[in-house]
Amino acid sequence: MLLIGETINATIGPVKEAVVSRDEEALRELARVQAECGAHVLDVNAAVPGMDEGENLIWAIRTIRTVTDLPLSLDSSSPEALETALGAYEGPPPILNSVTGELTPGHQRLIALAAERGCGIVAMCIDEEGIHTDPQRRHPRGHDAVHP
């Protein structure tokens, strides 16, 4: 079983405030606590409207690296932000989280980069039209892909 710590997420008010104000100690404490509680990977989401998400991720990665060398799950639906973050990432291969089914050149480049760097990928069953209720639209193999 893989335990992923999920509390470094800018959709959570205090984390958003820490990202905006560049409060390194707040992020370090979140990373420390999750590592002490047994997380194998730390998820990092630094998306704040009006801010450069790639730069936010780089800041968060560098801050977290001062207290732990656990692998990180870089959580963004922006291929550009993930690519920027990967350029600054050091440590065990990360997981790229929230990659969608959109087949834009950015997503294709990101998947190639993930393969090249040995990254894991968390793929969302969503595309430019949203989340589909039809299993065939969520995954080309449909229901059989989940329940062989």
Side-chain angles (χ1 to χ4, degrees), residues 100-112:
T100 68
E102 297 174 90
L103 295 177
T104 66
H107 283 88
Q108 291 171 343
R109 186 173 63 250
L110 183 62
I111 290 169

Side-chain angles (χ1 to χ4, degrees), residues 65-145:
R65 280 285 170 255
T66 65
V67 294
T68 183
D69 60 355
L70 286 174
L72 302 180
S73 173
L74 306 177
D75 189 353
S76 172
S77 59
S78 166
E80 295 79 16
L82 289 172
E83 188 171 0
T84 297
L86 274 175
Y89 184 88
E90 295 180 11
I95 297 170
L96 304 183
N97 190 353
S98 298
V99 175
T100 68
E102 297 174 90
L103 295 177
T104 66
H107 283 88
Q108 291 171 343
R109 186 173 63 250
L110 183 62
I111 290 169
L113 188 58
E116 176 185 311
R117 300 263 320 251
C119 301
I121 293 180
V122 175
M124 308 291 284
C125 295
I126 186 171
D127 63 17
E128 55 280 342
E129 295 178 21
I131 299 173
H132 300 284
T133 57
D134 176 7
Q136 291 298 326
R137 294 288 310 269
R138 284 190 185 208
H139 189 283
R141 288 183 44 215
H143 190 69
D144 293 338

Side-chain angles (χ1 to χ4, degrees), residues 1 16 27 36 46 49 91 112 143 145 147:
M1 176 183 337
K16 178 181 178 181
L27 235 57
E36 289 170 4
H143 190 69
H147 304 284

